């Protein structure tokens, strides 16, 4: 079936450290969208990245379709980066399939 | 920027009662979606719609109905709410770029 596997499930950083979050997706899926979710909050789209590398401030997303993987790199982490990061992969049509998320805690 | 709103933001319902969750988008997007979020399951698709007056089943449609009376509005209906439907519900819309935009969510508690 269509699957998206996200790792790690949780991560604790000291402020200033970098983080690398990974998503792997099954062969029937393509492209990737990354979201950020505050505790109890909505999903904020970080990147829609069907392939290649995109950067926004301290965040960089890289998707390699032929290897069925996408990564989100956070550089120089801040306490305000704490929350849950979700990836979702699209099939050929309408649907996003979500991973179960990475819970990130950045300590001061 | 894309705007998706949901109402109510939270609701407590009685088991067996009827619940209607509403979603409104001002993006002129064709596609709209309803997801539920549970701890350990991520987000799962309940229903979606790509045109007014038409809805389609997602991955977990049982116990839910959907209604799309206009391009802007998309409702999720629980005719007989059950305890297992306690969750956070998100509405989203999607434009031609495939990127999805989410509403703020509705926290539903069924007692």
């Amino acid at each position: 079936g269509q699957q998206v596997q996200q790792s790690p499930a949780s991560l604790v950083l000291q402020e200033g450290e970098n983080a690398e979050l990974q998503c792997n997706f099954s062969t029937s899926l393509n492209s990737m969208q990354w979201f950020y979710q505050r505790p109890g909050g909505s999903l904020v789209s970080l990147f829609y990245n069907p392939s290649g590398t995109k950067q926004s401030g301290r965040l960089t997303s890289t998707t390699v379709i032929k290897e069925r993987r996408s990564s989100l790199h956070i550089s120089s982490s801040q306490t305000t980066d704490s929350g849950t990061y979700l990836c979702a992969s699209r099939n050929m049509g309408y649907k996003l399939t979500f991973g179960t998320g990475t819970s990130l805690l950045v300590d001061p | 920027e894309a705007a998706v709103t949901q109402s109510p933001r939270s609701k407590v319902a009685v088991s067996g009662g009827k619940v209607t969750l509403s979603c409104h988008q001002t993006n002129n997007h064709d596609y709209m979606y309803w997801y539920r979020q549970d701890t350990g399951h991520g987000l799962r698709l309940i229903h979606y719609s790509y045109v007014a007056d038409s809805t389609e089943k997602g991955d977990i449609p049982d116990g839910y109905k959907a209604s799309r009376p206009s391009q802007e509005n998309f409702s999720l209906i629980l005719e007989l709410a059950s305890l297992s439907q306690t969750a956070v519900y998100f509405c989203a819309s999607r434009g031609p770029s495939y990127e999805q935009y989410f509403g703020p969510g509705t926290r539903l508690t069924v007692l």
Side-chain angles (χ1 to χ4, degrees):
Chain A
Q2 299 176 343
Q3 292 186 353
V4 177
Q5 295 176 323
Q6 202 167 343
S7 62
S10 62
L11 186 60
V12 180
L13 299 175
Q14 291 298 121
E15 195 168 29
E17 292 182 325
N18 299 331
E20 187 92 0
L21 282 56
Q22 299 284 349
C23 271
N24 293 284
F25 49 96
S26 61
T27 56
S28 58
L29 301 174
N30 62 60
S31 76
M32 187 64 71
Q33 191 168 356
W34 284 93
F35 297 89
Y36 168 71
Q37 186 176 30
R38 294 182 188 84
S42 184
L43 281 74
V44 176
S45 180
L46 299 174
F47 294 103
Y48 174 70
N49 187 5
S51 66
T53 298
K54 292 189 174 183
Q55 183 175 4
S56 176
R58 295 181 294 105
L59 303 180
T60 303
S61 169
T62 300
T63 298
V64 184
I65 286 293
K66 63 180 180 181
E67 296 179 10
R68 303 292 170 189
R69 63 177 176 86
S70 183
S71 64
L72 178 68
H73 183 82
I74 304 172
S75 63
S76 303
S77 62
Q78 301 175 0
T79 56
T80 52
D81 294 332
S82 296
T84 299
Y85 292 81
L86 292 158
C87 63
S89 187
R90 183 178 65 85
N91 68 4
M92 295 306 293
Y94 59 89
K95 196 177 88 166
L96 285 180
T97 298
F98 281 82
T100 52
T102 293
S103 178
L104 175 64
L105 177 63
V106 181
D107 287 330
Chain B
E1 186 172 327
V4 180
T5 56
Q6 294 182 231
S7 63
R9 294 294 313 278
S10 67
K11 183 171 181 65
V12 178
V14 175
S15 178
K18 182 177 181 178
V19 176
T20 299
L21 307 182
S22 299
C23 179
H24 180 80
Q25 55 110 350
T26 59
N27 312 316
N28 204 33
H29 286 167
D30 289 330
Y31 278 83
M32 295 187 74
Y33 305 82
W34 276 107
Y35 295 89
R36 65 176 281 173
Q37 186 175 34
D38 303 273
T39 304
H41 285 282
L43 275 80
R44 293 179 290 173
L45 181 64
I46 305 170
H47 285 287
Y48 69 100
S49 168
Y50 55 85
V51 68
D53 295 321
S54 178
T55 64
E56 305 292 334
K57 295 180 179 179
D59 295 326
I60 53 165
D62 293 346
Y64 302 94
K65 292 170 63 176
S67 173
R68 181 94 181 268
S70 64
Q71 187 186 37
E72 299 80 17
N73 295 294
F74 191 35
S75 297
L76 185 68
I77 303 149
L78 291 65
E79 295 279 5
L80 295 170
S82 67
L83 300 177
S84 64
Q85 293 177 312
T86 293
V88 180
Y89 292 85
F90 288 99
C91 176
S93 72
R94 194 210 87 185
S97 69
Y98 295 105
E99 187 170 2
Q100 292 197 16
Y101 299 90
F102 281 74
T106 295
R107 185 172 297 276
L108 175 65
T109 302
V110 182
L111 301 176

